Amino acid sequence: MKRVVVISFTLGWAIALAPPWAVSTEEKKNLTLQRAGNPPMRTISRPPPEPSPDPEDFEVRDGYRVIDSLSEFRKAIKQDNQKIRMKPGVYRAKEVDPPIPEKNQQHIFAVNGSGNHFDMRGVVIETPVSVQSKLTNKAHVADSWHINGQNNTFEGGYFRNVLDKQYPNYNVTENELEVTNDGNTFLNCTFVIKGSVPYGYSDFYGKGSSRWGRLDKHSFMSINAAHTKLIGCELYQQSYGHGAHLHGAKDVLIEDCYFTGTLRPTNDIYKEKVGRAQKYDFHIMYRGKRKIPRDQMIPLTEDGIRTYGGDKNIRVIDTTVERFRCGAQVLCEEGEVLFREVTVREPGYFGF
């Protein structure tokens, strides 16, 4: 039996044009997000906070072991029942963890240990597209992180993608994180998600097929487990893909979180000289050929929160989702769906 409880939500729309203060144009052409032959892309995207880790001044709680390298971190995430304090700093992945064929997994980081608390306050971990490109491009295989262990807590970490290759000459993982086991918590973490091909067109050229060119989506987090919690987390997304998407997940809690995506004025697409829109004479090809409408605002992401069926007992509390295709699209056959004090701002297409 399904029970849907929506206590309260607020909704702010920006289908046509967002307020002028929200519109930003990059001062320099960003060749990691667009083709070199086009003028600078005009987007509406809230910049993430810039971290400032201090490796000389940080707290170590009682009972925690300090580590200060990615090699130590790779070993720690494969062991059980630890309290780990990672030394603040910026750590960039340069290699990948071994694949797990029996799970059909390739990854940069495989978290196979259970019962751990990782204190990552002041820690920045970067997963560059150059390293993501070392993994397979097969669907549902490669993710930057696989959380295969149970009952782990990641506290205070800053996880970000680095676009260190020119667009579109890179491959991306399907998700930055895939949670495959139960009881994992992300507490006060920040996630900066970038990189998808194509980028800048919403779903105009498909979202599950490559009939109109190559398609590499890059989402934030896939949850395929029970008792996953995101508490006090921030997500800044500049890629075509979902925020958090659920597949057979149970008892998921998203509380006190802030998800922000990216919008683009359709008039800006008409300035392009090369690329997918120009190739198809500025027509949308997905679900019927038609001209790209002018004077509208489109999302460059998919949904902020999305379920796909088989999910049960989903709670979203005191959370804001802005500038995604929609705030939340929830499909549950049984259990309780609770939205309380949820704010959706400037959805690209619809709120809920």
Side-chain angles (χ1 to χ4, degrees), residues 65-250:
R65 176 168 64 92
V66 178
I67 62 175
D68 62 0
S69 70
L70 270 188
S71 60
E72 288 183 286
F73 181 74
R74 287 185 190 277
K75 293 177 183 177
I77 61 177
K78 295 169 182 59
Q79 300 171 10
D80 300 334
N81 302 319
Q82 309 161 98
K83 293 182 178 179
I84 299 295
R85 178 50 160 131
M86 196 169 186
K87 187 176 182 179
V90 179
Y91 301 84
R92 179 173 295 192
K94 297 181 180 178
E95 56 188 28
V96 302
D97 268 350
I100 305 178
E102 60 270 26
K103 291 181 177 289
N104 198 30
Q105 289 183 355
Q106 292 188 27
H107 30 239
I108 299 177
F109 295 103
V111 182
N112 299 330
S114 296
N116 300 300
H117 191 121
F118 298 101
D119 184 346
M120 305 176 72
R121 290 173 295 162
V123 172
V124 181
I125 295 189
E126 299 178 334
T127 49
V129 291
S130 60
V131 180
Q132 293 181 41
S133 298
K134 296 179 180 180
L135 304 172
T136 181
N137 204 31
K138 293 181 180 178
H140 311 300
V141 175
D143 298 285
S144 297
W145 297 74
H146 279 125
I147 314 297
N148 296 321
Q150 302 180 65
N151 302 320
N152 296 296
T153 295
F154 298 85
E155 180 184 358
Y158 190 115
F159 304 84
R160 68 179 171 193
N161 296 139
V162 175
L163 302 183
D164 57 349
K165 299 183 72 175
Q166 185 169 314
Y167 178 91
N169 301 318
Y170 51 71
N171 296 319
V172 293
T173 53
E174 186 160 351
N175 303 285
E176 188 61 15
L177 300 104
E178 181 173 5
V179 181
T180 70
N181 214 333
D182 301 341
N184 290 289
T185 298
F186 298 87
L187 175 63
N188 298 330
C189 293
T190 299
F191 304 91
V192 181
I193 307 301
K194 296 184 179 183
S196 62
V197 180
Y199 184 66
Y201 308 115
S202 188
D203 61 1
F204 291 177
Y205 304 104
K207 56 184 178 181
S209 147
S210 58
R211 286 174 290 171
W212 297 284
R214 180 178 140 217
L215 175 66
D216 280 353
K217 295 201 297 184
H218 184 55
S219 299
F220 158 48
M221 179 181 287
S222 174
I223 302 174
N224 314 314
H227 305 291
T228 303
K229 297 179 181 178
L230 281 76
I231 301 174
C233 293
E234 295 186 357
L235 166 64
Y236 299 82
Q237 185 153 331
Q238 295 182 51
S239 66
Y240 186 69
H242 291 302
H245 56 111
L246 285 56
H247 306 263
K250 295 178 175 61

